[in-house]
Amino acid sequence: MANKKNDPELPAQNPDQIITTEYSELMQKSYIDYAMSVIISRALPDVRDGLKPVQRRTLYDMEELGIFSDRPYRKSARIVGDTMGKYHPHGDSSIYDSLVVMAQDFKKTMPLVDGHGNFGTIEGDSAAAMRYTEARLQKVTEEAMLSDLDKDVVDFVPNFDETEKEPSVLPCMIPNFLINGSEGIAVGMATSTPTHNAAEAIDAEVALLEDPDITTSELMEYLPGPDFPTGGIVINKSDLKEIYETGAGKIRLRGRVVKEKGKNGHINVVVTQIPYTMIGTGIAKFLSDVAALSENKVTNDIVDISNQSSKEGIRIVIELKRDADADNFINLLYKKTKLEDTFGVNMLAIKDGRPETLSLKQVLSANVDFAYEVTRRKYTTLLADEKKKREIQEGLIKAVNVIDLVIEILRGSHDRAQAKKCLCEGVTDGIRFKTRGAAQMAAELHFTDAQADAILNMRMYRLIGLELDALMKEHEQTVANIYEYEDILERKSSMKSVIRKQLLSFRKKYAVPRKTELTDADEAVYVEKKQEETEVIFVMDRFGYARTLDVSLYEKNRVTLEQENKFVCRVLNTGNVCLFTDAGSMYTVKVQDLPQTKLRDKGKPIDNVSSYDSTKEEIICVMSQSDLNLYRIFFVTKQGLAKIVDGGEFSVKRRQIAATLLTDGDALAAVIPMKGEKSIVLATKNSYFLRMEVEDIPVQKKTARGAKGIALTRDDEVAAAFAVDESRDCRVQFHDREIDLKALRVAKRGTRGSKK
């Protein structure tokens, strides 16, 4: 349902009339209205001044409050409250957040706000509450973005409640959209524009101003690429031309790293600049990622890592071993951490009231066109003011020449209206003149309305000689200004010269050296050191925590470790551990992914280093993958199906495979590596034992279900299996009883066995 009286597109109807409409159409229209409101009024910047509405309103409010660069700071809470009450009724947090960002020199190439107090840090610390911080406008904001607002240079529109007027765009004379960049997420679209060097951006705009047919390649001679406030290195310089031609693409960034001599012959790798994308929590993430490289044994070169960053800049120090290859380690940082990252470019902005992805030339063209419009409107206003001034000046000069007559008119008039009518129209009726000649001269006066008012308001001191000289000089200057302004408005070359002069003035005042290096770098190549192959002991407790131990440590504590852990096996530190589960799966885990610990350390949950899920299946056997290639593997299911599989079938690189095929409702009971044993014993839940020859068990593929190993009663199932080694004692504990496996009689496969 929709009420017609609320829809401006529908004709007026009776307020009580209810009409029926298609729900999908109503929803579509409402969503489009909402989306466009977010896009135009909140999320995307205007290409002309490079500002989102909240930023524009905040800066304009600061200008209205008179918080200029040469005046004292004012509380941020005052600015936020005034902006919210007058122009931006969307909550104080969005206003304060925009104020903070405009004051952060690590996010903006040219901060527009001068913040005083805690405005956050590059490491992600948030700004203090608005009641503690203070702010004022930067000098560049006043001169390049807020000047001449009183000269009708931009349109003013009603605010949200139509009690105030606000500028639809600020009269920005520099390419702020490029200089400070922009990030914002709207509905169905997002903008992400990198920051640029102010001097280079102004040079590019001047070049386009001089030659409207200039190409992107030629513009890039002035503006070669982005310049981030955090510095760093752009390593795909050759891709920038396409990015600037299309307005979209990916910039690859690297932090700047230097090598220094450390203590005792150690090498220090020092990060002095970070990628722009690492601002905030990215620095802490980088530190934890570097620590993880050492913990996970990706590298053994790290001795220590410390963050020594301060107000002077970024300084993250990584101390390496004496024999470490520092260049190879730096490449590792680029490969495995966010020290090399990607900045996605989408130069989306509002142009002519519509969101549009713009090329570099389109952005600069929009700035040039806007500069022409602002300049035209400015000098149109100035010309009108000068013409009004000339009119009054000419009236005063003429009045001084006939001052005696003017005085006589004033003395002979009954009131101001009578005197003014005489001055403007020469009407002398009712005015007392001393002579007829004076009356005749008065009848010939034809001052304009404005001139007459100026004469009537003129003070007597203006008749002093020096004052008359000053009036004449002022008139001469006014005439010169009118000539100059008319020339600017009538000749495009003159207006271009004015804009160019203004742009170069800003460049001279606010130019700073480039921080970001532009180059084409090769892909970072990290050469892994071959790890010395040694044997370690894999242990996993009943809670699923796994780790490796040094062999000598295991030998000293063998009894304790075997009692406390569910699985213990020898593995190579460069190899894999294979986990067989009751669900018929085999999982492989890299030994390098497991922590090598001391005796009482806990280890890592096996779920965290493999695809195994302890909530769905249970591990029943653990083996080294290198051992699998040496042996044949015996499988038996709870329903009594048995087979032997060649271990080579399990030599795979996948993290998870099906180790055997199971029938519905069945599960693996045991997996045993056969090391030359001649017989196997199957034990059931109901204490039936069957000893059978290994030769009777069929050798099958891992995809087979197996053959009948033992005959089971209706409520029975296989509970365990044991390989019988004739060369040693084979006594096992089963159901709290000790069973001598070698004492069991050998029977045929598929029989029930004997009950114990």
Side-chain angles (χ1 to χ4, degrees):
M1 294 289 187
N3 195 329
K4 274 194 172 184
K5 69 174 183 178
N6 294 326
D7 193 335
E9 296 183 3
L10 297 175
Q13 297 288 334
N14 187 329
D16 298 326
Q17 181 181 3
I18 302 298
I19 67 167
T20 303
T21 187
E22 183 64 35
Y23 184 74
S24 61
E25 293 179 4
L26 183 65
M27 288 299 294
Q28 183 180 19
K29 180 183 181 301
S30 298
Y31 188 75
I32 290 174
D33 290 345
Y34 161 72
M36 289 307 296
S37 174
V38 172
I39 290 167
I40 303 296
S41 304
R42 297 184 74 172
L44 299 185
D46 191 302
V47 68
R48 296 172 293 178
D49 61 7
L51 299 174
K52 300 176 189 178
V54 64
Q55 296 170 322
R56 185 180 304 116
R57 289 163 176 168
T58 303
L59 295 178
Y60 177 63
D61 186 77
M62 293 177 73
E63 195 267 347
E64 274 203 313
L65 291 173
I67 315 174
F68 299 118
S69 57
D70 56 353
R71 296 185 185 177
Y73 294 94
R74 296 283 288 274
K75 282 290 185 183
S76 299
R78 170 66 194 276
I79 299 168
V80 171
D82 204 60
T83 304
M84 183 168 61
K86 287 183 177 179
Y87 308 115
H88 197 77
H90 300 292
D92 56 353
S93 60
S94 63
I95 301 171
Y96 186 52
D97 288 346
S98 72
L99 181 72
V100 167
V101 170
M102 288 191 290
Q104 292 177 329
D105 58 3
F106 52 84
K107 283 190 178 178
K108 298 296 181 185
T109 301
M110 183 183 286
L112 303 177
V113 171
D114 179 9
H116 183 248
N118 176 14
F119 273 79
T121 67
I122 194 172
E123 297 181 34
D125 299 319
S126 58
M130 67 180 81
R131 61 183 179 273
Y132 299 120
T133 60
E134 297 176 325
R136 63 185 178 188
L137 291 169
Q138 291 278 15
K139 185 72 173 176
V140 65
T141 313
E142 299 171 24
E143 294 184 350
M145 304 191 75
L146 292 166
S147 64
D148 300 325
L149 276 172
D150 59 338
K151 296 180 177 64
D152 190 35
V153 289
V154 294
D155 292 333
F156 276 71
V157 295
N159 69 336
F160 63 93
D161 61 0
E162 299 189 356
T163 59
E164 302 278 347
K165 293 281 190 178
E166 61 175 305
S168 58
V169 63
L170 293 186
C172 181
M173 294 301 292
I174 57 175
N176 182 56
F177 179 71
L178 290 173
I179 294 171
N180 279 325
S182 183
E183 292 182 6
I185 299 174
V187 179
M189 58 184 69
T191 181
S192 179
T193 304
T195 58
H196 294 79
N197 183 272
E200 294 174 355
I202 291 173
D203 286 342
E205 184 171 350
V206 170
L208 181 64
L209 183 71
E210 297 289 350
D211 180 12
D213 297 324
I214 193 170
T215 65
T216 300
S217 297
E218 291 169 335
L219 281 172
M220 289 181 67
E221 294 177 10
Y222 302 95
L223 183 69
D227 186 25
F228 296 100
T230 55
I233 306 168
V234 171
I235 62 171
N236 62 332
K237 181 181 178 182
S238 57
D239 295 337
L240 294 178
K241 182 174 182 291
E242 183 179 356
I243 292 172
Y244 283 138
E245 285 180 339
T246 62
K250 292 183 178 179
I251 296 173
R252 290 173 55 207
L253 290 169
R254 281 182 183 170
R256 188 174 296 279
V257 182
V258 297
K259 294 177 286 186
E260 297 178 356
K261 288 184 179 180
K263 297 178 181 177
N264 302 322
H266 288 242
I267 303 170
N268 288 346
V269 169
V270 183
V271 179
T272 58
Q273 293 178 353
I274 60 172
Y276 186 69
T277 52
M278 199 189 284
I279 288 175
T281 57
I283 295 178
K285 178 71 165 56
F286 171 73
L287 295 171
S288 65
D289 287 346
V290 174
L293 293 176
S294 181
E295 292 173 4
N296 297 332
K297 300 184 178 63
V298 176
T299 177
N300 295 315
D301 293 337
I302 300 174
V303 175
D304 188 30
I305 178 171
S306 60
N307 185 3
Q308 301 175 10
S309 303
S310 63
K311 290 182 179 179
E312 281 67 43
I314 294 293
R315 182 176 171 82
I316 300 172
V317 181
I318 305 169
E319 185 179 350
L320 304 182
K321 293 178 180 177
R322 290 192 187 91
D323 59 346
D325 183 345
D327 292 326
N328 194 44
F329 178 78
I330 291 170
N331 283 341
L332 173 64
L333 295 181
Y334 289 145
K335 293 286 284 184
K336 300 291 186 181
T337 72
K338 291 294 185 179
L339 195 61
E340 180 177 321
D341 203 3
T342 300
F343 182 95
V345 177
N346 186 25
M347 293 165 61
L348 181 71
I350 303 300
K351 182 177 182 290
D352 298 328
R354 296 177 53 193
E356 188 176 341
T357 298
L358 304 168
S359 66
L360 175 63
K361 185 174 180 179
Q362 286 175 315
V363 171
L364 290 171
S365 295
N367 291 137
V368 168
D369 292 344
F370 186 55
Y372 272 117
E373 181 188 350
V374 168
T375 305
R376 179 186 58 78
R377 293 181 63 163
K378 173 184 175 181
Y379 282 98
T380 299
T381 302
L382 289 176
L383 178 61
D385 291 343
E386 290 297 310
K387 285 184 175 180
K388 288 179 182 177
K389 191 186 295 183
R390 181 184 64 181
E391 178 185 349
I392 293 171
Q393 289 169 347
E394 288 176 348
L396 291 176
I397 292 170
K398 182 179 175 182
V400 169
N401 291 333
V402 290
I403 191 64
D404 293 333
L405 176 61
V406 171
I407 292 173
E408 193 168 343
I409 292 170
L410 296 178
R411 293 181 65 183
S413 299
H414 296 293
D415 53 29
R416 180 187 176 97
Q418 188 180 36
K420 183 176 179 180
K421 193 169 184 179
C422 180
L423 292 172
C424 293
E425 302 174 13
V427 178
T428 59
D429 296 343
I431 300 177
R432 298 188 305 275
F433 290 97
K434 294 181 179 178
T435 65
R436 177 176 291 184
Q440 291 176 345
M441 291 176 61
E444 296 175 359
L445 295 176
H446 293 288
F447 288 99
T448 66
D449 192 71
Q451 289 173 339
D453 284 333
I455 293 168
L456 293 172
N457 294 330
M458 183 176 66
R459 297 186 178 183
M460 295 303 292
Y461 77 88
R462 298 298 300 268
L463 300 177
I464 300 173
L466 291 177
E467 287 293 327
L468 292 174
D469 291 342
L471 180 61
M472 296 297 293
K473 288 180 181 179
E474 187 180 334
H475 178 252
E476 290 174 4
Q477 182 61 50
T478 300
V479 173
N481 288 344
I482 290 172
Y483 177 79
E484 179 187 353
Y485 298 160
E486 286 178 340
D487 180 65
I488 291 171
L489 291 169
E490 291 171 2
R491 297 174 59 222
K492 188 173 181 180
S493 59
S494 297
M495 187 175 292
K496 182 199 298 184
S497 177
V498 169
I499 296 171
R500 183 178 184 275
K501 183 178 179 181
Q502 192 172 13
L503 286 171
L504 293 179
S505 172
F506 290 139
R507 186 195 189 286
K508 184 178 180 180
K509 283 184 180 181
Y510 303 112
V512 294
R514 164 173 278 277
K515 294 181 180 179
T516 301
E517 179 185 344
L518 305 175
T519 185
D520 279 311
D522 295 330
E523 185 77 23
V525 177
Y526 171 66
V527 181
E528 286 192 51
K529 290 182 181 178
K530 286 192 175 181
Q531 192 174 7
E532 184 180 348
E533 191 171 82
T534 59
E535 194 176 57
V536 293
I537 307 299
F538 169 86
V539 295
M540 189 177 85
D541 62 22
R542 65 182 183 277
F543 301 108
Y545 283 85
R547 55 197 173 118
T548 61
L549 298 167
D550 186 78
V551 174
S552 59
L553 182 64
Y554 167 73
E555 294 295 348
K556 292 178 184 177
N557 303 276
R558 178 194 291 264
V559 176
T560 303
L561 287 168
E562 290 183 351
Q563 287 176 348
E564 292 179 349
N565 291 282
K566 187 176 181 180
F567 297 105
V568 177
C569 71
R570 291 176 179 266
V571 295
L572 293 174
N573 63 342
T574 57
N576 295 330
V577 179
C578 295
L579 315 173
F580 292 90
T581 71
D582 61 351
S585 298
M586 185 192 82
Y587 298 91
T588 57
V589 179
K590 287 184 178 181
V591 175
Q592 290 181 346
D593 291 341
L594 297 167
Q596 185 167 352
T597 67
K598 297 178 182 179
L599 182 64
R600 292 301 171 192
D601 290 343
K602 196 169 188 178
K604 273 187 180 179
I606 199 69
D607 301 48
N608 292 0
V609 291
S610 70
S611 304
Y612 165 71
D613 186 349
S614 59
T615 63
K616 296 179 180 178
E617 48 192 325
E618 182 182 355
I619 297 172
I620 58 173
C621 178
V622 174
M623 291 181 62
S624 167
Q625 194 166 45
S626 57
D627 288 346
L628 284 171
N629 297 324
L630 303 177
Y631 308 119
R632 298 189 300 169
I633 313 299
F634 170 75
F635 288 83
V636 63
T637 73
K638 291 187 176 182
Q639 293 180 3
L641 297 177
K643 66 177 180 178
I644 290 178
V645 181
D646 185 87
E649 289 197 38
F650 301 102
S651 183
V652 294
K653 293 184 178 180
R654 292 167 59 188
R655 297 188 68 187
Q656 177 186 1
I657 64 168
T660 187
L661 188 63
L662 298 172
T663 59
D664 291 341
D666 202 1
L668 271 179
V671 178
I672 301 174
M674 303 305 298
K675 301 177 181 179
E677 294 87 351
K678 300 298 183 183
S679 61
I680 286 282
V681 174
L682 302 181
T684 73
K685 181 177 66 173
N686 293 338
S687 297
Y688 281 89
F689 289 82
L690 172 64
R691 182 180 179 185
M692 56 186 173
E693 297 288 347
V694 172
E695 293 179 356
D696 291 343
I697 304 170
V699 177
Q700 297 180 334
K701 295 291 185 182
K702 67 176 186 289
T703 53
R705 286 189 174 88
K708 189 174 184 180
I710 186 172
L712 299 171
T713 58
R714 180 175 297 176
D715 60 344
D716 206 2
E717 63 181 23
V718 175
F722 308 97
V724 180
D725 186 352
E726 298 290 348
S727 65
R728 59 190 180 94
D729 183 43
C730 287
R731 297 176 185 273
V732 297
Q733 292 290 325
F734 188 80
H735 288 180
D736 297 328
R737 293 171 55 202
E738 186 177 85
I739 305 296
D740 186 354
L741 300 179
K742 289 197 290 187
L744 297 173
R745 180 175 60 84
V746 177
K748 288 186 177 182
R749 178 180 62 81
T751 60
R752 181 170 297 178
S754 57
K755 189 172 178 69
K756 293 293 183 179

mmCIF file of all heavy atoms in Angstrom, residues 151-152 376-392 478 481-482 485-486 489:
data_model
loop_
_atom_site.group_PDB
_atom_site.id
_atom_site.type_symbol
_atom_site.label_atom_id
_atom_site.label_comp_id
_atom_site.label_asym_id
_atom_site.label_seq_id
_atom_site.Cartn_x
_atom_site.Cartn_y
_atom_site.Cartn_z
ATOM 1 N N LYS A 151 31.614 36.054 -2.169
ATOM 2 C CA LYS A 151 31.566 36.662 -3.505
ATOM 3 C C LYS A 151 30.705 35.856 -4.471
ATOM 4 O O LYS A 151 30.905 35.914 -5.688
ATOM 5 C CB LYS A 151 32.976 36.821 -4.061
ATOM 6 C CG LYS A 151 33.843 37.781 -3.242
ATOM 7 C CD LYS A 151 35.223 37.909 -3.822
ATOM 8 C CE LYS A 151 36.059 38.914 -3.045
ATOM 9 N NZ LYS A 151 36.306 38.511 -1.653
ATOM 10 N N ASP A 152 29.784 35.071 -3.940
ATOM 11 C CA ASP A 152 28.842 34.322 -4.770
ATOM 12 C C ASP A 152 29.564 33.392 -5.756
ATOM 13 O O ASP A 152 29.155 33.244 -6.901
ATOM 14 C CB ASP A 152 27.916 35.278 -5.534
ATOM 15 C CG ASP A 152 26.759 34.540 -6.209
ATOM 16 O OD1 ASP A 152 26.277 33.553 -5.633
ATOM 17 O OD2 ASP A 152 26.363 34.938 -7.324
ATOM 18 N N ARG A 376 35.127 33.033 -12.721
ATOM 19 C CA ARG A 376 34.142 33.848 -13.436
ATOM 20 C C ARG A 376 33.134 34.473 -12.474
ATOM 21 O O ARG A 376 32.855 35.679 -12.536
ATOM 22 C CB ARG A 376 33.412 32.987 -14.467
ATOM 23 C CG ARG A 376 32.338 33.749 -15.247
ATOM 24 C CD ARG A 376 31.551 32.825 -16.153
ATOM 25 N NE ARG A 376 30.904 31.750 -15.408
ATOM 26 C CZ ARG A 376 29.782 31.884 -14.700
ATOM 27 N NH1 ARG A 376 29.187 33.080 -14.613
ATOM 28 N NH2 ARG A 376 29.257 30.857 -14.073
ATOM 29 N N ARG A 377 32.611 33.646 -11.561
ATOM 30 C CA ARG A 377 31.623 34.162 -10.612
ATOM 31 C C ARG A 377 32.254 35.176 -9.654
ATOM 32 O O ARG A 377 31.619 36.175 -9.276
ATOM 33 C CB ARG A 377 30.981 33.004 -9.841
ATOM 34 C CG ARG A 377 30.136 32.104 -10.731
ATOM 35 C CD ARG A 377 29.481 30.974 -9.993
ATOM 36 N NE ARG A 377 28.528 31.412 -8.984
ATOM 37 C CZ ARG A 377 27.606 30.635 -8.437
ATOM 38 N NH1 ARG A 377 27.496 29.363 -8.828
ATOM 39 N NH2 ARG A 377 26.782 31.102 -7.517
ATOM 40 N N LYS A 378 33.485 34.925 -9.269
ATOM 41 C CA LYS A 378 34.174 35.852 -8.362
ATOM 42 C C LYS A 378 34.335 37.222 -9.012
ATOM 43 O O LYS A 378 33.987 38.260 -8.418
ATOM 44 C CB LYS A 378 35.542 35.282 -7.991
ATOM 45 C CG LYS A 378 36.413 36.243 -7.192
ATOM 46 C CD LYS A 378 37.796 35.655 -6.926
ATOM 47 C CE LYS A 378 38.688 36.661 -6.230
ATOM 48 N NZ LYS A 378 40.049 36.111 -5.984
ATOM 49 N N TYR A 379 34.843 37.244 -10.257
ATOM 50 C CA TYR A 379 35.113 38.537 -10.896
ATOM 51 C C TYR A 379 33.835 39.197 -11.404
ATOM 52 O O TYR A 379 33.796 40.423 -11.557
ATOM 53 C CB TYR A 379 36.150 38.367 -12.008
ATOM 54 C CG TYR A 379 37.543 38.250 -11.432
ATOM 55 C CD1 TYR A 379 38.142 37.014 -11.245
ATOM 56 C CD2 TYR A 379 38.230 39.382 -11.014
ATOM 57 C CE1 TYR A 379 39.406 36.895 -10.688
ATOM 58 C CE2 TYR A 379 39.497 39.293 -10.451
ATOM 59 C CZ TYR A 379 40.075 38.045 -10.282
ATOM 60 O OH TYR A 379 41.311 37.954 -9.710
ATOM 61 N N THR A 380 32.791 38.411 -11.647
ATOM 62 C CA THR A 380 31.495 39.012 -11.955
ATOM 63 C C THR A 380 30.981 39.788 -10.753
ATOM 64 O O THR A 380 30.480 40.920 -10.878
ATOM 65 C CB THR A 380 30.487 37.920 -12.355
ATOM 66 O OG1 THR A 380 30.947 37.247 -13.524
ATOM 67 C CG2 THR A 380 29.119 38.515 -12.629
ATOM 68 N N THR A 381 31.125 39.207 -9.572
ATOM 69 C CA THR A 381 30.713 39.881 -8.337
ATOM 70 C C THR A 381 31.583 41.098 -8.062
ATOM 71 O O THR A 381 31.089 42.183 -7.711
ATOM 72 C CB THR A 381 30.787 38.906 -7.151
ATOM 73 O OG1 THR A 381 29.945 37.779 -7.406
ATOM 74 C CG2 THR A 381 30.343 39.574 -5.859
ATOM 75 N N LEU A 382 32.909 40.925 -8.237
ATOM 76 C CA LEU A 382 33.825 42.045 -7.992
ATOM 77 C C LEU A 382 33.551 43.191 -8.964
ATOM 78 O O LEU A 382 33.602 44.373 -8.581
ATOM 79 C CB LEU A 382 35.273 41.566 -8.128
ATOM 80 C CG LEU A 382 35.795 40.658 -7.017
ATOM 81 C CD1 LEU A 382 37.214 40.187 -7.336
ATOM 82 C CD2 LEU A 382 35.791 41.374 -5.673
ATOM 83 N N LEU A 383 33.278 42.835 -10.225
ATOM 84 C CA LEU A 383 33.005 43.878 -11.220
ATOM 85 C C LEU A 383 31.741 44.657 -10.860
ATOM 86 O O LEU A 383 31.713 45.899 -10.941
ATOM 87 C CB LEU A 383 32.858 43.239 -12.608
ATOM 88 C CG LEU A 383 32.532 44.196 -13.762
ATOM 89 C CD1 LEU A 383 33.634 45.236 -13.924
ATOM 90 C CD2 LEU A 383 32.317 43.422 -15.057
ATOM 91 N N ALA A 384 30.712 43.947 -10.441
ATOM 92 C CA ALA A 384 29.471 44.623 -10.049
ATOM 93 C C ALA A 384 29.707 45.550 -8.861
ATOM 94 O O ALA A 384 29.180 46.687 -8.817
ATOM 95 C CB ALA A 384 28.398 43.584 -9.712
ATOM 96 N N ASP A 385 30.513 45.069 -7.901
ATOM 97 C CA ASP A 385 30.824 45.905 -6.729
ATOM 98 C C ASP A 385 31.613 47.148 -7.135
ATOM 99 O O ASP A 385 31.359 48.263 -6.622
ATOM 100 C CB ASP A 385 31.614 45.094 -5.701
ATOM 101 C CG ASP A 385 30.780 44.004 -5.043
ATOM 102 O OD1 ASP A 385 29.531 44.082 -5.131
ATOM 103 O OD2 ASP A 385 31.370 43.074 -4.449
ATOM 104 N N GLU A 386 32.588 46.976 -8.034
ATOM 105 C CA GLU A 386 33.410 48.114 -8.460
ATOM 106 C C GLU A 386 32.574 49.125 -9.249
ATOM 107 O O GLU A 386 32.781 50.343 -9.136
ATOM 108 C CB GLU A 386 34.585 47.614 -9.308
ATOM 109 C CG GLU A 386 35.632 46.842 -8.528
ATOM 110 C CD GLU A 386 36.308 47.683 -7.470
ATOM 111 O OE1 GLU A 386 36.761 48.805 -7.780
ATOM 112 O OE2 GLU A 386 36.360 47.240 -6.299
ATOM 113 N N LYS A 387 31.643 48.625 -10.052
ATOM 114 C CA LYS A 387 30.777 49.544 -10.805
ATOM 115 C C LYS A 387 29.889 50.353 -9.865
ATOM 116 O O LYS A 387 29.645 51.557 -10.090
ATOM 117 C CB LYS A 387 29.931 48.765 -11.800
ATOM 118 C CG LYS A 387 30.726 48.291 -13.022
ATOM 119 C CD LYS A 387 29.838 47.590 -14.044
ATOM 120 C CE LYS A 387 30.630 47.240 -15.306
ATOM 121 N NZ LYS A 387 29.793 46.547 -16.317
ATOM 122 N N LYS A 388 29.393 49.702 -8.816
ATOM 123 C CA LYS A 388 28.598 50.429 -7.820
ATOM 124 C C LYS A 388 29.468 51.477 -7.119
ATOM 125 O O LYS A 388 29.044 52.613 -6.872
ATOM 126 C CB LYS A 388 28.031 49.460 -6.789
ATOM 127 C CG LYS A 388 26.920 48.572 -7.316
ATOM 128 C CD LYS A 388 26.432 47.626 -6.226
ATOM 129 C CE LYS A 388 25.347 46.700 -6.753
ATOM 130 N NZ LYS A 388 24.909 45.725 -5.713
ATOM 131 N N LYS A 389 30.705 51.080 -6.831
ATOM 132 C CA LYS A 389 31.621 52.004 -6.159
ATOM 133 C C LYS A 389 31.943 53.195 -7.076
ATOM 134 O O LYS A 389 32.009 54.346 -6.627
ATOM 135 C CB LYS A 389 32.909 51.250 -5.790
ATOM 136 C CG LYS A 389 33.821 52.029 -4.856
ATOM 137 C CD LYS A 389 35.139 51.306 -4.650
ATOM 138 C CE LYS A 389 34.945 49.977 -3.932
ATOM 139 N NZ LYS A 389 36.262 49.330 -3.681
ATOM 140 N N ARG A 390 32.144 52.884 -8.398
ATOM 141 C CA ARG A 390 32.451 53.966 -9.346
ATOM 142 C C ARG A 390 31.289 54.946 -9.441
ATOM 143 O O ARG A 390 31.484 56.175 -9.484
ATOM 144 C CB ARG A 390 32.741 53.369 -10.726
ATOM 145 C CG ARG A 390 33.092 54.432 -11.774
ATOM 146 C CD ARG A 390 33.290 53.821 -13.145
ATOM 147 N NE ARG A 390 32.063 53.208 -13.651
ATOM 148 C CZ ARG A 390 31.974 52.588 -14.829
ATOM 149 N NH1 ARG A 390 33.044 52.502 -15.615
ATOM 150 N NH2 ARG A 390 30.832 52.049 -15.203
ATOM 151 N N GLU A 391 30.087 54.419 -9.446
ATOM 152 C CA GLU A 391 28.892 55.267 -9.538
ATOM 153 C C GLU A 391 28.840 56.250 -8.366
ATOM 154 O O GLU A 391 28.606 57.457 -8.547
ATOM 155 C CB GLU A 391 27.642 54.389 -9.560
ATOM 156 C CG GLU A 391 26.342 55.173 -9.599
ATOM 157 C CD GLU A 391 25.116 54.268 -9.492
ATOM 158 O OE1 GLU A 391 25.281 53.032 -9.608
ATOM 159 O OE2 GLU A 391 24.014 54.784 -9.259
ATOM 160 N N ILE A 392 29.087 55.739 -7.183
ATOM 161 C CA ILE A 392 29.039 56.599 -5.991
ATOM 162 C C ILE A 392 30.187 57.590 -5.997
ATOM 163 O O ILE A 392 30.018 58.782 -5.674
ATOM 164 C CB ILE A 392 29.062 55.722 -4.720
ATOM 165 C CG1 ILE A 392 27.756 54.920 -4.626
ATOM 166 C CG2 ILE A 392 29.284 56.568 -3.480
ATOM 167 C CD1 ILE A 392 27.753 53.874 -3.546
ATOM 168 N N THR A 478 39.460 52.434 -8.918
ATOM 169 C CA THR A 478 38.215 51.728 -9.231
ATOM 170 C C THR A 478 38.062 51.545 -10.735
ATOM 171 O O THR A 478 37.705 50.456 -11.207
ATOM 172 C CB THR A 478 37.014 52.487 -8.655
ATOM 173 O OG1 THR A 478 37.149 52.595 -7.241
ATOM 174 C CG2 THR A 478 35.709 51.766 -8.979
ATOM 175 N N ASN A 481 40.395 48.868 -11.821
ATOM 176 C CA ASN A 481 39.888 47.540 -11.439
ATOM 177 C C ASN A 481 38.791 47.082 -12.401
ATOM 178 O O ASN A 481 38.750 45.913 -12.799
ATOM 179 C CB ASN A 481 39.340 47.577 -10.009
ATOM 180 C CG ASN A 481 40.434 47.683 -8.972
ATOM 181 O OD1 ASN A 481 41.606 47.441 -9.263
ATOM 182 N ND2 ASN A 481 40.062 48.060 -7.754
ATOM 183 N N ILE A 482 37.910 48.020 -12.746
ATOM 184 C CA ILE A 482 36.824 47.666 -13.670
ATOM 185 C C ILE A 482 37.398 47.216 -15.011
ATOM 186 O O ILE A 482 36.970 46.215 -15.585
ATOM 187 C CB ILE A 482 35.877 48.859 -13.859
ATOM 188 C CG1 ILE A 482 35.089 49.098 -12.571
ATOM 189 C CG2 ILE A 482 34.915 48.617 -15.032
ATOM 190 C CD1 ILE A 482 34.262 50.361 -12.582
ATOM 191 N N TYR A 485 38.929 43.713 -14.450
ATOM 192 C CA TYR A 485 37.928 42.657 -14.271
ATOM 193 C C TYR A 485 37.174 42.372 -15.571
ATOM 194 O O TYR A 485 36.866 41.212 -15.883
ATOM 195 C CB TYR A 485 36.941 43.044 -13.174
ATOM 196 C CG TYR A 485 37.571 43.233 -11.799
ATOM 197 C CD1 TYR A 485 36.924 43.962 -10.790
ATOM 198 C CD2 TYR A 485 38.830 42.693 -11.512
ATOM 199 C CE1 TYR A 485 37.505 44.151 -9.547
ATOM 200 C CE2 TYR A 485 39.415 42.881 -10.260
ATOM 201 C CZ TYR A 485 38.751 43.618 -9.292
ATOM 202 O OH TYR A 485 39.332 43.792 -8.060
ATOM 203 N N GLU A 486 36.881 43.410 -16.319
ATOM 204 C CA GLU A 486 36.216 43.199 -17.605
ATOM 205 C C GLU A 486 37.114 42.420 -18.555
ATOM 206 O O GLU A 486 36.655 41.560 -19.312
ATOM 207 C CB GLU A 486 35.821 44.542 -18.223
ATOM 208 C CG GLU A 486 34.627 45.186 -17.532
ATOM 209 C CD GLU A 486 34.275 46.542 -18.117
ATOM 210 O OE1 GLU A 486 35.163 47.149 -18.775
ATOM 211 O OE2 GLU A 486 33.135 47.007 -17.920
ATOM 212 N N LEU A 489 37.036 38.779 -17.537
ATOM 213 C CA LEU A 489 35.777 38.124 -17.879
ATOM 214 C C LEU A 489 35.575 37.985 -19.382
ATOM 215 O O LEU A 489 34.914 37.051 -19.846
ATOM 216 C CB LEU A 489 34.605 38.891 -17.261
ATOM 217 C CG LEU A 489 34.513 38.830 -15.721
ATOM 218 C CD1 LEU A 489 33.486 39.829 -15.213
ATOM 219 C CD2 LEU A 489 34.168 37.424 -15.264
#
